[in-house]
Amino acid sequence: MIVAEAVGRALAACGVGAAFGVVGSGNFHVTNALVAGGVRFVAARHEGGAATMADAYTRMSGRVGVVSVHQGPGLTNALTGLTEAAKSRTPLIVLAGEATEAQSNFHIDQAALATAVGAVAMRVTSAEEAVSRVAEAYRVAVEERRTVLLNLPLDVQAAPFEGPADVMPPAIASAVPSVVPSVAELARLLGVAERPVFIAGRGARHARRELEELADLAGALLATSAVAKGLFRGSPWDLDVSGGFATPLAAELIRGADLVVAWGCALNMWTTRHGTLVSPGAKVVKVDLDPAAFKTHVPADLGVAGDVARVAEALAAEVAPRPGYRSPELAARVRAEGRWRDVPYEDESGGGRIDPRTLSIGLDDLLPRERIVAIDSGNFMGYPSMFVDVPDEGGFCFTQAFQSIGLGLATAIGAAIARPDRLPVAALGDGGALMGIAELETVVRLGLPMVIVVYDDEAYGAEVHHFGPHGHPLGTVTFPPADLAAIARGYGCAAVTVGGPGDLAGVAEWVDGPRDRPLLVHAKVTAEHGSWWLEEAFKGH
Ligand SMILES: Cc1ncc(C[n+]2csc(CCOP(=O)(O)OP(=O)(O)O)c2C)c(N)n1
Ligand SMILES: [Mg+2]
């Protein structure tokens, strides 16, 4: 056995989930060893796709994903996806060949590159410590919730390895600090709040039961950040997403809160509309593993350090039942106005183009409810986020921490691998779709029964709506029509072009079966004006 094989075997023995990558000479043996160790390997067509697939897979499966890349350009290609993962604190392990000779074409400072984007850089430097390095990389990924680059120098990879490579998984210390005295103060606040609202973020995705039980006692209404969308689905007190995507009702009720408790949620400008969703008179409490979150964005009056589920459990023992914000009248309002599709709008479809709201509502009606929705970035992104419902927090994958366009399709692939029981839905703009389109071949090759919806306005709409109103020339951000349906058929997809509500019949036909090929919905959308959430967002640029 050589070191490369020992590294792959050792990582497999740690219990990682699936691996994603593009294989070259520098990661050939390590990838094959992962496979020999029982790890599923998905060949992507671009390392950027592989990184995002692994990120989405990890978010939706809860298992550590692996990225495997060739030295040099393999890693630089992966960087945007790795940045997204690092910013989102996704526990990922990136295996990269490394050319340590400065004269090599493939040589770059890989450790510096990783550090620059917020990942942790490690290196296997000898046969003797290869296995312990792997175990340490795994530990840092899981325990510290970091994206870890494990550099594998080519000469070290080729060295003979003696000894067992099947490590015991490292003992992962609990990342959960014990519950602290500030819990008593939060219990007191919950005991006097008239209108408490809970906003759950990424750090609360595992804690629905505990949060709902506590909210029932305290009479709190329930909302989430966009990444945790779906967490409280089915609760009569679920306001859905707080922030730019919030319904008018959710915005009104969150603004009306006298106590906002953010659970594993930073309360950033997106979740709070630049702070305006939190009333100046409201007390703000943050419960977070990382005390650094207490003072960022909308600062907390009280910070509670700890795991969301454990803190909520501890509080449930302290809080006496009270009505809080809840009343039969309010429940009726949530039922009647709680979803975007309940908000009246004027359908602007016409002239061979469909209103993106009508499109999204139509898809929501047609697609099976057991779905997992992935969203790219751009002006269009609120339409599927707001009008296409998801069954729970495992039904929504939102890789938006780096605000990169072009990640949506790969996100849907990683999510689909994590949740083969669900229909994967990728919602993309034409710009993001064409940027990430290489992975359409991956969707077809893997036989994923995916629906890919492209909201095509023949433009970088976000830029058009940002600069157009000021009279700037828009030639750099507008494009001639592209036949995306034909391109998709070329990849082996089924495709329908939608230029009005009637064309959605083609989607219904595909849903009826046999769904043996993915479906690309090329929707020519109306684009007279920008979206309202984008106008809000531009205030931050
Ligand atoms: C990698 C990357 N390049 C450029 C940008 C700047 N940008 C933000 S939105 C956008 C336009 C996206 O166009 P499209 O996917 O068609 O969506 P639309 O805004 O038209 O709905 C661009 C270029 C970015 N966020 N990420
Ligand atoms: Mg566009």
Side-chain angles (χ1 to χ4, degrees):
M1 195 182 285
I2 58 171
V3 168
E5 291 162 333
V7 167
R9 289 285 188 156
L11 194 53
C14 285
V16 294
F20 303 80
V22 174
V23 170
S25 58
N27 60 330
F28 181 86
H29 293 301
V30 72
T31 307
N32 277 348
L34 276 174
V35 173
V39 175
R40 178 174 183 185
F41 176 72
V42 174
R45 287 304 191 171
H46 190 287
E47 290 85 350
T52 299
M53 288 174 206
D55 182 1
Y57 166 84
T58 303
R59 295 183 198 206
M60 304 324 278
S61 71
R63 299 185 67 191
V64 174
V66 178
V67 183
S68 174
V69 296
H70 186 73
Q71 59 273 21
L75 183 62
T76 55
N77 265 357
L79 271 189
T80 303
L82 296 184
T83 312
E84 169 64 36
K87 279 181 180 282
S88 297
R89 303 294 294 268
T90 302
L92 270 194
I93 295 183
V94 187
L95 298 172
E98 188 184 32
T100 43
E101 279 292 317
Q103 290 76 19
S104 164
N105 291 98
F106 291 128
H107 174 74
I108 49 169
D109 187 343
Q110 296 194 167
L113 217 55
T115 312
V117 301
V120 177
M122 296 187 180
R123 176 181 284 128
V124 172
T125 52
S126 71
E128 289 69 42
E129 43 96 274
V131 169
S132 62
R133 286 272 91 187
V134 169
E136 176 63 3
Y138 184 79
R139 187 198 65 76
V140 170
V142 175
E143 204 169 286
E144 298 177 22
R145 297 174 293 127
R146 300 297 296 271
T147 293
V148 178
L149 169 65
L150 187 58
N151 280 314
L152 306 173
L154 300 181
D155 52 345
V156 178
Q157 284 199 55
F161 177 87
E162 275 138 38
D166 290 352
V167 282
M168 286 294 288
I172 305 293
S174 164
V176 182
S178 55
V179 170
V180 288
S182 47
V183 165
E185 176 59 8
L186 178 50
R188 192 190 67 74
L189 290 172
L190 287 168
V192 296
E194 300 287 327
R195 295 177 309 283
V197 169
F198 288 1
I199 304 182
R202 184 179 61 225
R205 286 183 63 230
H206 63 296
R208 173 182 180 150
R209 184 179 55 77
E210 292 84 355
L211 287 177
E212 234 184 333
E213 282 174 14
L214 179 63
D216 285 347
L217 288 170
L221 304 183
L222 298 163
T224 69
S225 67
V227 280
K229 182 179 168 70
L231 183 63
F232 300 117
R233 199 58 85 247
S235 161
W237 310 105
D238 175 19
L239 303 180
D240 203 6
V241 174
S242 173
F245 301 160
T247 57
L249 177 68
E252 175 196 324
L253 294 174
I254 295 165
R255 277 200 191 101
D258 61 352
L259 173 67
V260 173
V261 188
W263 300 90
C265 177
L267 294 183
N268 66 23
M269 68 175 202
W270 306 102
T271 309
T272 62
R273 297 194 188 167
H274 295 275
T276 61
L277 288 185
V278 180
S279 152
K283 279 256 180 254
V284 175
V285 181
K286 291 187 185 177
V287 180
D288 208 293
L289 277 176
D290 184 359
F294 297 159
K295 289 296 163 208
T296 54
H297 306 292
V298 174
D301 299 303
L302 172 71
V304 181
D307 171 75
V308 164
R310 290 202 42 206
V311 172
E313 240 168 20
L315 281 160
E318 305 292 320
V319 175
R322 50 191 279 113
Y325 215 152
R326 299 181 176 186
S327 68
E329 299 74 42
L330 200 134
R333 280 196 76 192
V334 173
R335 263 198 313 278
E337 308 166 47
R339 300 177 309 162
W340 266 105
R341 57 182 299 156
D342 303 324
V343 178
Y345 72 95
E346 209 164 298
D347 187 345
E348 294 172 0
S349 305
R353 307 201 78 91
I354 186 167
D355 188 310
R357 294 166 291 189
T358 307
L359 168 71
S360 306
I361 292 170
L363 292 170
D364 190 39
D365 288 338
L366 286 171
L367 300 177
R369 204 177 137 64
E370 282 299 309
R371 59 183 77 142
I372 187 159
V373 180
I375 315 258
D376 210 322
S377 207
N379 176 69
F380 79 95
M381 67 194 287
Y383 299 113
S385 300
M386 300 191 310
F387 293 92
V388 178
D389 199 12
V390 296
D392 53 34
E393 84 292 348
F396 194 69
C397 194
F398 201 61
T399 42
Q400 299 289 346
F402 196 28
Q403 265 185 267
S404 174
I405 67 167
L407 306 187
L409 182 57
T411 298
I413 296 172
I417 305 246
R419 294 297 304 262
D421 55 318
R422 294 201 162 167
L423 177 86
V425 180
L428 319 172
D430 50 307
L434 287 166
M435 190 176 277
I437 200 158
E439 303 306 346
L440 212 45
E441 190 276 338
T442 307
V443 179
V444 172
R445 173 166 36 88
L446 296 179
L448 300 175
M450 188 182 289
V451 176
I452 302 126
V453 187
V454 184
Y455 291 71
D456 183 10
D457 61 354
E458 292 149 25
Y460 292 151
E463 315 308 343
V464 167
H465 301 301
H466 192 178
F467 295 105
H470 304 290
H472 297 291
L474 298 172
T476 52
V477 289
T478 51
F479 296 89
D483 191 346
L484 298 174
I487 292 171
R489 287 190 197 99
Y491 275 100
C493 297
V496 289
T497 301
V498 175
D503 297 329
L504 287 170
V507 178
E509 237 170 73
W510 182 89
V511 169
D512 281 347
R515 304 188 204 165
D516 52 352
R517 284 179 298 163
L519 174 72
L520 185 131
V521 180
H522 178 200
K524 291 174 166 289
V525 293
T526 55
E528 275 69 51
H529 41 79
S531 53
W532 56 98
W533 63 87
L534 201 73
E535 275 167 26
E536 170 64 34
F538 283 153
K539 292 181 198 158
H541 287 250

